[in-house]
Amino acid sequence: MASPGIEVELLVKGHSDLGEVTPEIKASERETAVAIADLEWREMEGDDCGFHYGDGTNEAQDNDFPTVERSRLQEMLSLLGLETYQVQKLSLQDSLQISFDSMKNWAPQLPKDLPWHFLRKLQALNSEARNTTMVLDLPLDTRPAEKESQMEEEMMYWDPAEDIAADDIYSFSELPTPDTPVNPLDLLCALLLSADSFLQQEVMLKMSLCQFALPLVLPDSENHYHTFLLWALRGVVRTWWSQPPRGLGSFREDSVVLSRVPTFAFVRMDVSSNSKSQLLNAILSLGCWQWDCFWHRDLNLGTNPREIADGLVEISWFFPSGREDLDAFPEPMAFLNLRGDIGSHWLQFKFLTEVSSAVFILTDNISKKEYKLLYSLKESTTKYYFILSPYRGKRNTNLRFLNRLIPVLKIDHSHVLVKVSSTDSESFVKRIRAIVGSVARSPCRRVSVEDMAHAARKLGLRVDEDCEDCQKAKDRMERITRKIKDADAYRRDELRLQGDTGRKAAQVEREFCQLQWTPDPPEKHRAELRRRFLELRMQQNGQEPALGVQEFIAGISSPSPGERQYFLRWMEWGLARVGQPWLRQPSETLLTLRPKLGGTSDLSEPLWPEPLGVEHFLREMGQLYEAESCLVEAGRLPASQRRFAHFPGLAVELLLTGLPLELVDGGTLSVPVRWVTGLLKELHIHLDRRSRLVVLSSLGVPGTGKSTLLNTMFGLRFATGRSCSPRGAFMQLITVAEGFSQDLGCDHILVIDSGGLVGGASAGDRFELEVSLATLLLGLSNVTVVSLAETKDIPPAIVHAFLRLEKTGHMPNYQFVYQSLHDGAVPSPKPRDRRQLLDPPSDLSRAAAQMEKQGGGFRTLAGLAFCDPERQHIWHIPALWHGAPPMAAVSLGYSEAIFELKRCLLENIRNGLSNQNKNIQQLIELVRRL
């Protein structure tokens, strides 16, 4: 098969094997189009472009081109230290390990540092992640003066109109050396080529949150086997304002892969004085604030030559917020950007013409070669626009070609725009926006990323989602989700063990446990509770798992680790689409919704709708295991007849691949002790000798950003977003690198997110339950982060939990984090702000002290916990977003503050301020006691 790298030369010569590269176009039709264009070219007057094709020397050079490209990619991978990941790909778990570098804000010194530096910055949602500047060990004053002088002499500007020898051209594209910065797009391409599917997906998600343009077609210059990144983009979900032609608008949340929107492509033909990427950034930004979504030439290192990234297609979206002063367009739109010129990457350009509503072509010159290429698009229904620069171009030649292309591409003079340096940039951008808006309002092509994938397959591009494991997992997911018509009905009919029987069993067990702390409890009452409990468990054990649950168990039991991970991701997305809760208005949060949903004290009634998720299937497995284990303990079932004893092992396999597991059942707000104990025992077996743990927990009411904080800090996957998150507490495991575990004092960090356990109740049965669960999580923890939305918004349950823990003598190292929930930066905290917890106690604190019988010796919560304001127990975190969502990026202040908090937590763990670490056996005993 002919390679895209030499495709242009084949097209010019009319070779018939071009059809192999673009199979949807018959070779004869392509040859006819080129022949007609060649005939018209010869009829034109003034053939003075000075371009010559077809000599034997050039053909030989072109035939050698693939070899040069192969070595170029290998050299880049070697330079970045990624060559070892070409067979065994870099995994998500590899990138999340805690190491020495996790505790310092270090700058890369060698090219091999760049991939890890990029991943760590991206994990922290740092807007400077794409900066590939290196800090060399060699001091500046020790560098030879003659070398600096030589570098200055070599800096020059290249005028495309001048003739340059081949040797001079190749001297401009020498591969980077260890002291030469790497182009950020080369780094991104090399990293994605070295990463597995799940790390690719994580990189895309984090880049989306940073408002970076995302790779859509990944070039592989080694094999000329370009990849369309459909799977990698599936995890990107965005929220925007949807305004129907009639009626009230509302916010809509959906995957970017599934949304059909007008799509606009921007490409370069030959040389252009105007920057596509800068123009795109200006189009996407309204007002004085402009975000560099697409990397461009005026950014730091933006002029460094690209070695392997030419042929990359990037995508970004505009999403409206519902505010006319902020929205450049009234509806979502997609924008595509091809790196490199279309002549060298005709396959990618042909793909763009197949999926775009309109294509904007930036160029200074239209030559014979480009004219022939464009003439072959005469059957295209896409709209084309040209953006020219007259200063570097050949005016008369361009006009002649444009006049010939008008009937071919069905354009008129309004489709040709001239951008000169004296042109008012703002007015020119407004003109482009007006064209884009006009095309979107008219009947035009609207495509989703899934639709683009179909076009990519027809053109011979590889689609990452087409691998066997991924497709088998998708088929299994669809067999489960196609039966879900109503999420509540499915939970009631299929997940039966979580219904009334399960809730009653949890309530009876809770009463039985409380009875153990009662002095001289009536034995008759104890026996009655035990009888009722075993009866309920026998009812559960008598039920067979539903077909959907059996299918789920088969999916996570697959012998292929890849298929298991694909299946879990497919299940998350599939369940999100069939079981989404109601949408709420943008001004509403869980804090404002809770009173509307009633003040019932019935513990079986949720405080807010809970979406159907993977955790419900795992919860059902836990109930099956719990019921069976209870009967075995009571002697009602022989151990040899157990059917579900292997369930904890299946779940731990998922935990080790990064899936959060439920520690506290969100359905009953109880701890399934046998299930959790089984999980921890299996974890102990899997970790073998590396089982020293530090437990880090996060507490706070929903909506205070605690899950986002943990995800940003450690790259975790706790549920966040506008959709209501699960109510249970979840745990996720982070590995400490072996070389750092001795210094840190632990092998793993078990992170617990309290989810929706602490709802802010101040009285009643639910409040007592919240206090108990908060006490449990604090009691298990070495380190606790308490997330607060307002200065004195300390949930009552957490106040009581701290008071109860003081009696036991166990107090975790804690950090109070005040997060701004408003857009814009938060001023630096003043000293008096940091001492607010030491101020006279509030009425709430006094009431809590009286309820817990702490008397008059108690001043405040901070006084109880021996808070020293100078030791950074209190943190003020800036707002998450810089600007107004959905087009806002994560603020640099938020990212940097989260990193400092992470560094402080790890320092406290290393210095032993977090109390003694635990092994898993000790953690099991703590769960039982608490």
Side-chain angles (χ1 to χ4, degrees), residues 772-785:
S772 299
L773 294 172
T775 306
L776 166 69
L777 297 187
L778 286 171
L780 293 176
S781 303
N782 301 92
V783 183
T784 296
V785 176

Side-chain angles (χ1 to χ4, degrees), residues 381-440:
T381 58
T382 304
K383 296 177 180 176
Y384 295 90
Y385 294 85
F386 290 86
I387 299 177
L388 306 177
S389 175
Y391 291 147
R392 293 184 179 251
K394 298 184 177 180
R395 177 186 174 90
N396 293 334
T397 303
N398 287 345
L399 288 176
R400 284 198 298 272
F401 280 128
L402 286 171
N403 285 327
R404 291 287 179 136
L405 288 172
I406 284 176
V408 175
L409 300 180
K410 304 175 185 64
I411 62 175
D412 56 36
H413 293 290
S414 67
H415 289 231
V416 180
L417 300 88
V418 178
K419 174 71 170 68
V420 296
S421 57
S422 59
T423 302
D424 181 13
S425 296
E426 187 175 348
S427 63
F428 186 79
V429 169
K430 287 182 179 178
R431 188 177 175 190
I432 300 293
R433 282 202 199 112
I435 293 172
V436 168
S438 175
V439 172

Side-chain angles (χ1 to χ4, degrees), residues 535-552:
E535 184 178 291
L536 290 167
R537 288 305 190 193
M538 287 188 70
Q539 290 179 29
Q540 286 185 311
N541 193 61
Q543 299 190 46
E544 289 294 321
L547 292 177
V549 176
Q550 293 180 36
E551 192 75 60
F552 178 84

Side-chain angles (χ1 to χ4, degrees), residues 102-172:
S102 303
M103 297 182 62
K104 58 183 181 181
N105 194 7
W106 60 285
Q109 298 180 348
L110 296 170
K112 292 185 178 181
D113 297 333
L114 292 174
W116 303 102
H117 180 261
F118 173 77
L119 287 172
R120 289 192 181 95
K121 288 285 188 182
L122 198 61
Q123 173 189 308
L125 302 179
N126 191 301
S127 58
E128 297 180 349
R130 296 178 296 186
N131 189 345
T132 58
T133 303
M134 290 177 286
V135 178
L136 302 180
D137 289 327
L138 186 64
L140 290 174
D141 55 3
T142 62
R143 294 183 182 178
E146 60 270 20
K147 184 170 183 179
E148 292 187 6
S149 174
Q150 179 184 356
M151 290 172 62
E152 291 178 0
E153 291 176 2
E154 289 177 352
M155 292 178 62
M156 58 181 295
Y157 293 99
W158 174 32
D159 185 351
E162 297 180 5
D163 291 331
I164 300 180
D167 291 341
D168 294 333
I169 293 176
Y170 284 107
S171 69
F172 281 103

Side-chain angles (χ1 to χ4, degrees), residues 368-382:
K368 175 181 177 181
K369 179 172 66 173
E370 281 75 35
Y371 171 74
K372 290 181 177 181
L373 295 175
L374 294 174
Y375 192 93
S376 67
L377 300 173
K378 65 178 182 176
E379 301 299 328
S380 173
T381 58
T382 304

